[in-house]
Amino acid sequence: MNILYRLGFHLASKTIQVRMELSACRPAMRLTLPAWIPGSYMIRDFARNITSLKAYDAADKQLSVTKLDKQNWQVDCTEGELVIEYSIYANDLSVRSAFIDSSLLFFNGTSLFLRPIECDVESYRVHISRLQESCCTNWKIATTLPKIATDSDGYGEYQVNSYEQLIDTPLIAADYDSCELTVAGVPHRMVFCGYHTGDLERVGRDITPILEEHIALFGELPVQQYLFMTMVTGNGYGGLEHADSTALICSRKELPAYGNESVSEDYQRYLGLCSHEYFHLWNVKRIKPSIMQEPDLGNEVYTPQLWSYEGITSYYDELALLRSGSIEIVAYLKQIAKVVTRVTRGTGRELQSIAESSFDAWTKFYKQDENAPNAIVSYYTKGSLVAFGLDMELRQQSEDSFSLDDVMRRLWQEYGSKGRGTDDDSIEEICISLVGDGIASFFDLYVRGTAELPLERWFAAVGISSRIRPKSGDGDDGSASASQPDEAAVAKVSLDAVVAEHPAGVLLSVLYQDGLAQRAGLAARDLLVAVDGYQVNKKNVDAIVSALPLQQTVKLHAFRDGVMLELDVVTEETQLSTCDLWPTAEEQLSDEIRQRRQQWQASLAANMAGSLND
């Protein structure tokens, strides 16, 4: 059987019309749409966006269609040609679903392409019609779908031989800007949709050495092309990996301005996002858990391994920026300090291991509520710190003969490149084979367990000094400096809550465990209006609270569901939760640590090039 999907578009109603042409493979044929998209572990029920569905036979006679459940339909048909027509509401401006308006069209196949169950399909073809509205005149298509017959703007027909490839190849159409680059002899393309004034040629120059670091790490690039699709918005952020492309969302401020050659913190964030998704080309898209080899896209697929796929990737995304020379060590440490601070402020790390966080991604991590920092931990953030710690342990236990780089290469050579899925203990077994059984306790303590991470020891292993101090004020999320900073300020009082602006005060959105707000009896969504008799707002609440004397009873006034609350609380020092990092001075390092630091942050791409030249 061959299937042809003809796509049409209606901007005013934000709908995508699909005409699916195929042969009936059985008298009662079932059709299904995925409930989730690989890489984003939450049931999203894409079928809920189907607004109408009808079926016809070759004589254009309408056939009976029965909806079996939220994402499955049964068509009563006879042998011969069959046409399924359905409409999809496309108004999710994210990297996961489908969206169309007067500025762009974007979709993932998981949102669009119904699939017949228990039928042998030889090919899937997609025909994309040109949009007729005047605002779409200059639109061009960008995708890595293999072309069959398309015009110069990409409209026409594409074909793949598997449903897996069909839903793993997103498409974007817009009057986009683009830049071309070649990495390891392979053409790469970056397209940018949305209003912006960024220097895209510079983005291409800057991203190239970062990508080369990842290629050098794994030793080969397993694609013939690669496409970065970036949707530029006012304040968006996110990415989703695919086999030979990635879909990204960034804010305008994250693209570099013309004439400014520095790497701002915002631009570093965008480079890190690109780095993260590109690393997934190996680690997730090819190195993946066995259970994710052919996942059930209609239901949750549980695995405790997500920490290694997202946490390790999160470790290497910023490390590649450092190794490539895109950022200096202080900029790198600033990002790591923010991660440490984020993890340290949440007591959920004491309750949930990163293996458990991975397993519970479907029901907890992707469905966070106001109590999340107190109940769960992120397998991204804490996972990246555990990956860093594993790197340090491997280096030290092997007397710097092995590192996490070697583990990733082994994973690629033994699993990813061979199409084998990893088991829950595959990484641990590789580590044991490199340095012995002693490394097993690391996995017991920090992967499967909730032991406090010995970050100070791990940082010191590569000549980085650290301290954990009280928060100095609203917006203090950790810091990094070129040398040892001044002594930390004397501990002050903190609300220990995340607040949002409100005309009458501040709205509490998150309360940290055992913090002042929680101890006072406040709750999320309470409206705090006064502290110790002073009216508060988003701008002054931090200053008012931090000026309170320690060990004194103060009054808080708040509204809950329109009812005034008057609460007493005893002030205490703000918790130690904020991280500072700085490189230890060279003269204070032993030769062993100095050499390890140099080796850890050295460019793999430069080393590879040097080896080839030799």
Side-chain angles (χ1 to χ4, degrees), residues 542-588:
D542 186 69
I544 290 174
V545 172
S546 64
L548 294 172
L550 293 171
Q551 300 302 317
Q552 297 292 317
T553 300
V554 298
K555 287 189 180 296
L556 308 181
H557 289 85
F559 284 95
R560 180 180 299 164
D561 195 25
V563 178
M564 170 70 82
L565 303 175
E566 184 177 291
L567 305 167
D568 291 336
V569 63
V570 176
T571 57
E572 296 178 359
E573 291 182 354
T574 186
Q575 302 170 20
L576 299 177
S577 64
T578 307
C579 178
D580 292 332
L581 297 174
W582 63 95
T584 307
E586 286 278 331
E587 60 271 16
Q588 297 177 7

Side-chain angles (χ1 to χ4, degrees), residues 2 71 91 97 148 199 216 226 263 291 300 384 479 581 593 595:
N2 299 308
Q71 65 210 35
N91 194 33
S97 189
I148 298 299
D199 184 348
Y226 196 86
V263 177
I291 199 170
E300 296 93 339
S384 70
S479 73
L581 297 174
I593 292 178
Q595 291 172 6

Side-chain angles (χ1 to χ4, degrees), residues 126-189:
V126 180
H127 186 277
I128 302 172
S129 301
R130 184 178 290 273
L131 289 84
Q132 299 303 311
E133 286 82 356
S134 59
C135 62
C136 307
T137 302
N138 297 323
W139 282 21
K140 305 176 293 296
I141 289 175
T143 183
T144 56
L145 283 168
K147 297 177 180 179
I148 298 299
T150 62
D151 63 19
S152 59
D153 291 333
Y155 295 97
E157 196 161 305
Y158 299 81
Q159 179 177 310
V160 297
N161 296 322
S162 71
Y163 188 73
E164 290 71 26
Q165 185 179 3
L166 180 67
I167 63 172
D168 196 27
T169 315
L171 178 148
I172 199 163
D175 184 13
Y176 56 72
D177 301 310
S178 66
C179 65
E180 313 284 337
L181 48 146
T182 300
V183 188
V186 174
H188 289 57
R189 191 181 188 204

Side-chain angles (χ1 to χ4, degrees), residues 46-114:
F46 297 118
R48 65 189 173 88
N49 293 316
I50 295 180
T51 57
S52 66
L53 190 153
K54 297 179 181 179
Y56 303 88
D57 64 13
D60 205 29
K61 176 184 175 182
Q62 187 167 346
L63 303 174
S64 173
V65 178
T66 303
K67 190 169 186 179
L68 303 176
D69 55 36
K70 63 181 181 178
Q71 65 210 35
N72 291 283
W73 291 259
Q74 179 174 295
V75 180
D76 296 331
C77 53
T78 57
E79 292 184 0
E81 296 304 306
L82 181 66
V83 173
I84 312 294
E85 293 184 346
Y86 53 100
S87 296
I88 295 169
Y89 182 60
N91 194 33
D92 180 9
L93 184 56
S94 75
V95 296
R96 298 176 297 270
S97 189
F99 179 83
I100 185 171
D101 72 357
S102 59
S103 64
L104 69 89
L105 159 70
F106 172 79
F107 66 78
N108 288 286
T110 44
S111 292
L112 258 64
F113 300 123
L114 285 168

Side-chain angles (χ1 to χ4, degrees), residues 391-392 394-397 399-400 457-458 460-463 590-602:
D391 195 5
M392 297 303 104
L394 289 168
R395 290 174 187 271
Q396 290 179 293
Q397 292 187 30
E399 297 182 345
D400 295 304
R457 174 166 61 83
W458 290 344
V462 282
S590 65
D591 290 341
E592 176 187 3
I593 292 178
R594 185 182 303 107
Q595 291 172 6
R596 183 182 300 131
R597 183 163 77 180
Q598 292 171 351
Q599 185 183 54
W600 167 65
Q601 66 183 66

